[in-house]
Amino acid sequence: MSETAAPTVLVVEDERHLADLFAGWLEEHYPVRKAYDGDEAIEAIDDAVDVVLLDRRMPGLSGDEVLETIRERGIDCKVAMVTAVEPDFDILEMGFDDYLVKPVSFQEIVDTVERLAARRTYDEQLDEYARLLSKRVSLESEKSRRQLAVSEEFAELESRIDDLGTNVDQMVEGFDDDDVAAVMHDLPSGRGG
């Protein structure tokens, strides 16, 4: 993606009315492609796509399988799962960048695309930090404190966030106030908490 070009968004959703709705919300500001199932998504994805909004539960090729294929092909895009599947600890192993649980609003979709497009310019550590924060926020919204407290996977996630957080803090020390504000705006809620 060039600095001036709007990011290209691929909406993958088997419920046609939702795919058309999400695309309609975005088309005024972004080039948008639509795929109504996993197979169409695999055909539509290429290096020109910057952000993918991906449903998890689809007949045939699932969103999880589409995500795996995107990562295996090395396509450099950001992926937000937009799904009715509530997050469970299995998401910790998935290669998405953000996770939204339906129903979602116009503002959530637009903010997610903006945030993920901005994150394309991050270095690897800051991008990984943002991905891990997104997973933590998703799990904290669906799991009880007790479930989180007894989860070894969640403890490992927290440890990785803490390690990366130290590096991120050092990284942003050289940023001016506007750059720090922009980076913090692009990170999922829940930083440091």
Side-chain angles (χ1 to χ4, degrees):
M1 181 177 92
S2 74
E3 292 298 315
T4 57
T8 298
V9 180
L10 172 61
V11 176
V12 183
E13 171 62 64
D14 66 313
E15 293 183 48
R16 287 180 176 264
H17 71 280
L18 281 181
D20 295 342
L21 177 66
F22 297 164
W25 287 346
L26 298 168
E27 285 173 336
E28 185 176 332
H29 301 289
Y30 304 102
V32 178
R33 300 178 186 180
K34 292 183 279 189
Y36 297 117
D37 64 38
D39 292 319
E40 282 184 31
I42 297 302
E43 290 176 24
I45 189 79
D46 59 30
D47 290 329
V49 172
D50 300 298
V51 176
V52 179
L53 301 178
L54 180 60
D55 187 18
R56 277 188 82 178
R57 190 179 296 150
M58 297 183 288
L61 200 60
S62 74
D64 294 6
E65 292 167 308
V66 171
L67 175 60
E68 229 174 84
T69 301
I70 290 169
R71 296 308 183 215
E72 285 171 1
R73 286 187 184 174
I75 296 171
D76 184 24
C77 65
K78 299 295 178 197
V79 178
M81 303 306 275
V82 183
T83 179
V85 179
E86 293 183 358
D88 204 344
F89 293 110
D90 67 327
I91 70 169
L92 295 174
E93 300 302 317
M94 296 174 68
F96 63 80
D97 299 285
D98 208 344
Y99 199 97
L100 303 176
V101 177
K102 294 176 192 171
V104 294
S105 69
F106 164 81
Q107 200 60 54
E108 287 174 295
I109 292 291
V110 171
D111 288 350
T112 297
V113 170
E114 286 178 6
R115 186 173 51 254
L116 292 180
R119 282 178 38 194
R120 288 182 47 79
T121 63
Y122 290 3
D123 80 352
E124 283 183 38
Q125 278 193 333
L126 188 54
D127 190 46
E128 180 183 0
Y129 184 65
R131 272 194 313 275
L132 295 176
L133 285 176
S134 176
K135 291 178 182 187
R136 178 173 73 185
V137 168
S138 294
L139 288 171
E140 286 175 339
S141 71
E142 296 299 325
K143 299 292 182 189
S144 70
R145 288 183 189 260
R146 185 182 182 310
Q147 289 172 306
L148 296 174
V150 299
S151 168
E152 193 173 304
E153 296 101 330
F154 192 75
E156 289 172 16
L157 174 69
E158 290 282 80
S159 175
R160 185 70 182 137
I161 287 171
D162 289 345
D163 292 346
L164 283 172
T166 301
N167 294 343
V168 168
D169 289 344
Q170 292 169 356
M171 190 184 319
V172 297
E173 281 179 8
F175 289 10
D176 65 27
D177 289 343
D178 291 338
D179 289 337
V180 170
V183 167
M184 293 304 141
H185 173 267
D186 295 334
L187 292 175
S189 300
R191 182 190 183 293

